[in-house]
Amino acid sequence: MTTLFRNAISEVAHFASACELHHSQTRAKLLVICEELLPSCRGSWWYRKSKEEIVEIVEKIWSFGPDRAKANILFNLVPNYQRKSIWESKCDFGCRPFDQAIVSGFELFLTAGPLCHEVMRGVAIIVEEWIVDEDDPAIGGQLMTAMRATCKAGAEKLALRLVAAMYRCTVTTTSQALGKVHAVLAQRKAKVLNEDINEATGLFEVTALMPVVESFSFCDHLRKNTSGMASAQLEFSHWQLIDEDPYWQPSTLEEMEEFGVKGDSPNHARGYMDSVRRRKGLPTDDVIVVSAEKQRNMKKNK
């Protein structure tokens, strides 16, 4: 899944979920966004879709995400499935049996993603066929679980990315401690945006973006390294995509020569993911013992 495709789906889903679905103006604006962004997403299912196909697909939107994950879309492309459009009145739906089980499985998948069991964003699921014994009344729960497992298996085959919360950090410091301030910001993986001097006070003001996960004990660390000559103010800025694959491993000869056979270079996304999974009690791929060999103490027992 390319970055352009993720951004396109996220923008489409976020726009649709933020509006009243029964308004015809909303549907028209959504069609304009889909026709503009989706056909240009190289390597995706939407690439080079015609205008007529895009219109037909938008009319077959099955559901949007749950309350905490509205920016996701479920499409219903099942042949010969006569179901009223989501753009019409919800009370007039004529649904196939166990229709809601598919939607519930989709929502369960979105509320607990495969990386950190967190809410997902910018996901489009397309259902082209589903066959079930509609005479079995107990099949609803199994169908919900199967839908969730199928979505998870499909997502794990794609290049998933984490989204990190970012702080806007403003540091005020003297000229003597300016270098140490930059050193502390670099240790916290912060990106410096601006550095300017306040002519009224003669102090430097450094503005940077810092991941929230890296901000714990930041002020104490800053004061300790600058001997109290710097102070910081943090405020939430935005959510930023970490464009780094948590499961990346070197595969080509050039990558193995540069990063090693096991990919020993630091992977920040993998570190964030493992820390969240450990905190939630989820399994990780940490190797406790790399090479188990017999060891003994060289000291002789007397």
Side-chain angles (χ1 to χ4, degrees), residues 224-291:
K224 181 179 179 180
N225 281 266
T226 60
S227 301
M229 290 188 291
S231 60
Q233 182 178 2
L234 302 175
E235 60 178 347
F236 180 78
S237 176
H238 63 283
W239 292 88
Q240 180 173 314
L241 180 72
I242 303 177
D243 199 6
E244 190 174 5
D245 188 0
Y247 294 107
W248 180 84
Q249 292 290 339
S251 56
T252 63
L253 183 60
E254 291 78 7
E255 292 177 347
M256 292 181 182
E257 291 178 352
E258 182 176 357
F259 302 104
V261 178
K262 298 181 180 179
D264 298 329
S265 60
N267 189 331
H268 302 310
R270 181 60 178 268
Y272 295 154
M273 183 187 70
D274 288 343
S275 64
V276 173
R277 294 184 69 88
R278 280 192 292 267
R279 186 168 65 248
K280 292 185 175 183
L282 301 173
T284 60
D285 295 335
D286 294 339
V287 180
I288 300 176
V289 179
V290 178
S291 57

Side-chain angles (χ1 to χ4, degrees), residues 3-21:
T3 303
L4 177 61
F5 178 55
R6 287 195 300 267
N7 295 339
I9 289 296
S10 180
E11 182 174 349
V12 169
H14 180 71
F15 171 80
S17 61
C19 302
E20 295 293 335
L21 297 182

